Amino acid sequence: MAERIDGKVIAAEVLETVKAATEKLVSETGVQPGIAVVIVGEDPASEFYVRSKGKRAEECGFKSVTHRLPAETSEDELLKLIGELNADDTIHGILVQLPVPDHIDDGKVIQAISPDKDVDGFSFVNVGRLVTGQLGSAFVPCTPAGAMVMIRRTLGTGDLSGLTAVVVGRSNIVGKPMANLLLAANATVTIAHSRTRDLPAVCREADILVAAVGRPEMVKGDWVKPGACVIDVGINRVPAPELEKKYRVVGDVDYDGAEKVAGSITPVPGGVGLMTVAMLMASTVTSAYRSAGLEPPGF
Ligand code: GUN
């Protein structure tokens, strides 16, 4: 039976490191890390995420500001706010919660955020830093960054030399940055996707298998190489009439099948999902250290 990689435990460790680093920065320089989260409109799921980001930031000892803008906010008004936050020395991380309403160009908004405050890691500059291996100055999207922390802790090393990694999914937010992080750690990386021929056979080559496709329980037990480290990034709601809430949350991996074959595996819920907000806090304290000219803590 595979080792269960516990997102709750690892996220809590990351948050402890963030808190300690914040206390050290405040006591040594007087600089308090600051994060600004911007939400436009009233999408309930986005509101939930934004609230949890604000709460975690306060727990970490950050200055935390949430800008709630009405759905009819114009693109120019949003860009003006981003300009103000870019110029605000007390803010080290800026995150505009996506999606934004249709009349706003999300690409324009993302690129307007200063790359040195872009804690989502979505700007072209940070994508370029990641792809060229300049991780010392990059911000990396939080979900793949969290998955990478789980892989390092599970395998006990940041050097994946000689290991084969397969990432199923090629999104800009997870699949592509995940593949680049694995490559930067010396893994031999394949990105597989919906057009890949014989996907099960490709997955069976993986010492590290990352599933990020958004298809409930698509990756079966017999797709997994015996002893592999399986990272499930999927969060899918499936109907469950027997439950009061009428749905259940499952990953992209058939957990029951895969855990019999894998060496280690992340559950859903309770896995990678819990790492995302923790890594946002890690990126924000990292940004504050960089802006003070100090070496940030490692995660
Ligand atoms: N909406 C869903 N996930 C994310 C994320 O990682 N960052 C931002 N900014 N918006 C999101």
Side-chain angles (χ1 to χ4, degrees), residues 67-89:
H67 292 270
R68 289 188 167 76
L69 307 181
E72 53 284 2
T73 302
S74 71
E75 187 176 280
D76 281 348
E77 284 170 312
L78 180 56
L79 293 173
K80 181 165 171 283
L81 172 61
I82 291 171
E84 288 163 8
L85 294 170
N86 283 341
D88 183 341
D89 288 342

Side-chain angles (χ1 to χ4, degrees), residues 180-250:
N180 279 292
L181 282 169
L182 290 160
L183 187 61
N186 300 322
T188 302
V189 183
T190 301
I191 304 179
H193 48 78
S194 55
R195 307 287 177 96
T196 297
R197 191 188 304 156
D198 200 352
L199 186 56
V202 173
C203 291
R204 271 194 292 272
E205 295 293 318
D207 300 306
I208 299 165
L209 178 59
V210 181
V213 266
R215 286 176 173 253
E217 301 179 320
M218 185 181 87
V219 175
K220 305 299 180 197
D222 64 359
W223 298 23
V224 175
K225 179 176 178 176
C229 174
V230 178
I231 304 291
D232 189 350
V233 184
I235 299 177
N236 308 288
R237 279 188 184 192
V238 296
E242 74 282 8
L243 298 182
E244 198 183 323
K245 57 185 179 184
K246 304 291 176 209
Y247 67 86
R248 174 168 82 82
V249 175
V250 301

